Amino acid sequence: MQANNLSDDVEGNPDREDPFYQQGKVACVMFTVLLILSFLVIGIVTGVNFKKNPQEDQTRGLLSDDITAIPFQYKGESRRCSDGWASYKNTCYFLSANVYGTWEISQSFCHNNRAHLMVVNSEEELEFISRIAQKQTDYWIGLKRDKLGKWSWVNGDDYHSAPHFWDENQPAHGGMESCVHLKGTDTVRRKLLHDADCYSERYLICERKLEKGMW
């Protein structure tokens, strides 16, 4: 009887909607709103990830680039060499790429940088320098002969207290050829000592011992 009354009311009043139809409309509207909100949330999350990933990739790239630069960096009290200097066993080395001059000019350049021309103390040290140096380039080092024919290192080390690494038929000459350089070559795995005219112009290798607070 009640159902008939509802049906009669709807039929008798065409402007009055079925309550079940109204509930369906509300459910459809709510579903649509939830769907839109879901798309908005997905869009926001995707946008954040899109921005985040390139930053992460860029950071990884910078870290990778930093790793390749290694032995030539120094900061503060870390007891490493300053920029442009190579480190080996508590010693810093500078191999010139654009400083070119006589033996005396080269020694003065090193002295002005609180260093001296390289003193070769061991085979291992010489092999290290040979690995990082330009193969075909000659470099002045800190060995010189005086007017009496006596060889001496610029830092005062006894010439006879360490092994010598002269190339074949070296030292070859007297007179003006009283200064020593590491000879550039592609044929041997390490550079060897050659004497030369002290007034000839070559590149250089400076050396400085690492000490706390020195840089």
Side-chain angles (χ1 to χ4, degrees):
M1 186 68 178
Q2 185 176 1
N4 291 334
N5 290 335
L6 289 173
S7 176
D8 292 341
D9 290 341
V10 172
E11 291 177 357
N13 186 5
D15 295 331
R16 184 176 180 181
E17 294 182 351
D18 188 341
F20 295 105
Y21 176 72
Q22 291 180 341
Q23 293 177 2
K25 288 176 63 178
V26 172
C28 289
V29 171
M30 293 180 63
F31 176 78
T32 302
V33 171
L34 290 174
L35 188 61
I36 292 173
L37 289 175
S38 299
F39 280 119
L40 287 174
V41 171
I42 293 172
I44 292 172
V45 172
T46 303
V48 169
N49 289 334
F50 178 78
K51 292 180 180 179
K52 181 179 179 181
N53 290 335
Q55 293 175 350
E56 292 176 349
D57 293 339
Q58 185 179 11
T59 302
R60 285 194 292 269
L62 290 173
L63 291 175
S64 177
D65 291 342
D66 288 344
I67 290 173
T68 61
I70 320 325
F72 303 93
Q73 297 187 359
Y74 154 85
K75 296 295 179 185
E77 293 293 325
S78 60
R79 301 192 68 181
R80 295 183 182 275
C81 300
S82 59
D83 293 345
W85 293 66
S87 175
Y88 177 75
K89 289 188 175 181
N90 204 41
T91 302
C92 297
Y93 301 90
F94 175 82
L95 287 76
S96 67
N98 53 14
V99 180
Y100 193 81
T102 65
W103 190 93
E104 290 291 345
I105 289 175
S106 299
Q107 173 61 3
S108 295
F109 173 85
C110 294
H111 179 75
N112 291 338
N113 286 275
R114 298 184 296 170
H116 56 72
L117 285 171
M118 177 186 174
V119 174
V120 181
N121 294 300
S122 68
E123 182 177 2
E124 293 78 11
E125 180 186 28
L126 182 58
E127 289 183 351
F128 166 76
I129 291 297
S130 299
R131 286 197 303 271
I132 65 174
Q134 296 293 327
K135 291 185 178 299
Q136 296 183 345
T137 301
D138 295 346
Y139 296 92
W140 285 125
I141 61 172
L143 183 61
K144 187 177 183 181
R145 178 170 47 197
D146 63 20
K147 295 180 179 180
L148 299 177
K150 180 183 177 181
W151 291 104
S152 59
W153 291 104
V154 291
N155 67 342
D157 283 1
D158 183 5
Y159 171 72
H160 298 287
S161 65
H164 306 145
F165 300 97
W166 292 103
D167 202 351
E168 292 183 8
N169 302 317
Q170 293 290 323
H173 305 286
M176 297 296 292
E177 299 195 352
S178 298
C179 294
V180 179
H181 65 276
L182 295 180
K183 180 67 176 177
T185 178
D186 282 329
T187 61
V188 296
R189 65 186 176 89
R190 66 169 180 245
K191 292 180 178 291
L192 297 172
L193 278 61
H194 278 238
D195 62 349
D197 183 349
C198 296
Y199 293 97
S200 60
E201 295 185 336
R202 305 175 192 278
Y203 294 97
L204 60 91
I205 302 176
C206 297
E207 173 185 343
R208 174 89 188 245
K209 295 294 183 183
L210 267 176
E211 298 174 3
K212 186 176 181 180
M214 62 173 290
W215 290 98

